[in-house]
Amino acid sequence: MITHPSRHCAVELQALPSRIGQVRRIVSAQLRYWHMDSLIDRASLGVTELLSNVHRHAQPDKTCTVEIELLLDRLKVSVHDHDPRLPVMADASPLATCGRGLAMVAAMSESWGAVPDGESGKIVWFTLPTPSATAAPAWDRQPRITAGEPADRRFAEVALVEHTTGDHHAGRTPARSTVPG
């Protein structure tokens, strides 16, 4: 899939506990910039689990690259490391203190996978669906005058018109003027 350069972010790092929190903050900030706030929690959880796996298992080093791409209908988060061994989702016992990371990534994502990356490395990735394509982005809303106020009001009521495929009146919340009169 093709992505616009402004819809792609990559960070190279050592997968150390102190850096994992930093990458989580970078991912959160980038998603806010793209107005994808609803994906922050799941993307942060997923990238934390993938980076924790690099920290715990990757050999010969902990160097990796985190990439996030905003595609047409999904967000793709991937971690590239230099260990060619592909991860295996384990069946963790109820008392196990680790071994559930990939199962958690699988449960909270739309899809996930791992692929070899050249001779010495791999890419582990997951995708999240973006907010509904039927909801109009904020820049596609148009102000319109409504007849919601009594005739003696000096200012007409302004509402945001939502462009949806369903009921045209659902979800519309009129704005109210704070100016008396």
Side-chain angles (χ1 to χ4, degrees):
M1 287 186 206
I2 298 174
T3 178
H4 190 277
S6 67
R7 301 297 184 157
H8 179 264
C9 176
V11 178
E12 186 171 307
L13 69 140
Q14 290 288 317
L16 303 172
S18 61
R19 297 298 310 259
I20 294 172
Q22 193 175 37
V23 170
R24 210 174 29 243
R25 288 187 294 279
I26 291 168
V27 167
S28 297
Q30 186 64 52
L31 290 175
R32 275 189 208 92
Y33 178 75
W34 288 337
H35 304 286
M36 294 287 152
D37 297 43
S38 64
L39 301 180
I40 291 173
D41 290 340
R42 289 182 293 155
S44 295
L45 173 65
V47 78
T48 298
E49 291 303 326
L50 297 186
L51 288 174
S52 295
N53 282 350
V54 173
H55 173 69
R56 186 176 181 105
H57 302 291
Q59 297 174 13
D61 62 46
K62 308 297 182 193
T63 303
C64 63
T65 302
V66 174
E67 289 188 61
I68 57 174
E69 296 176 273
L70 185 56
L71 305 168
L72 184 61
D73 60 350
R74 70 184 48 89
L75 177 76
K76 182 177 182 182
V77 179
S78 55
V79 175
H80 307 239
D81 68 39
H82 298 118
D83 188 338
R85 298 173 297 156
L86 295 177
V88 177
M89 192 179 330
D91 257 345
S93 74
L95 300 177
T97 58
C98 61
R100 293 183 181 87
L102 286 177
M104 203 167 10
V105 169
M108 64 88 192
S109 66
E110 177 182 60
S111 61
W112 79 279
V115 293
D117 185 28
E119 295 295 314
S120 59
K122 67 179 169 297
I123 302 169
V124 184
W125 57 269
F126 65 90
T127 63
L128 299 171
T130 57
S132 175
T134 60
W139 51 264
D140 196 25
R141 296 179 183 171
Q142 301 172 359
R144 103 180 145 96
I145 305 299
T146 66
E149 294 293 321
D152 65 333
R153 301 287 280 188
R154 289 183 3 172
F155 299 97
E157 182 177 333
V158 176
L160 288 177
V161 178
E162 299 285 343
H163 297 280
T164 60
T165 56
D167 180 12
H168 294 293
H169 300 290
R172 187 182 322 155
T173 304
R176 300 274 181 201
S177 173
T178 59
V179 179

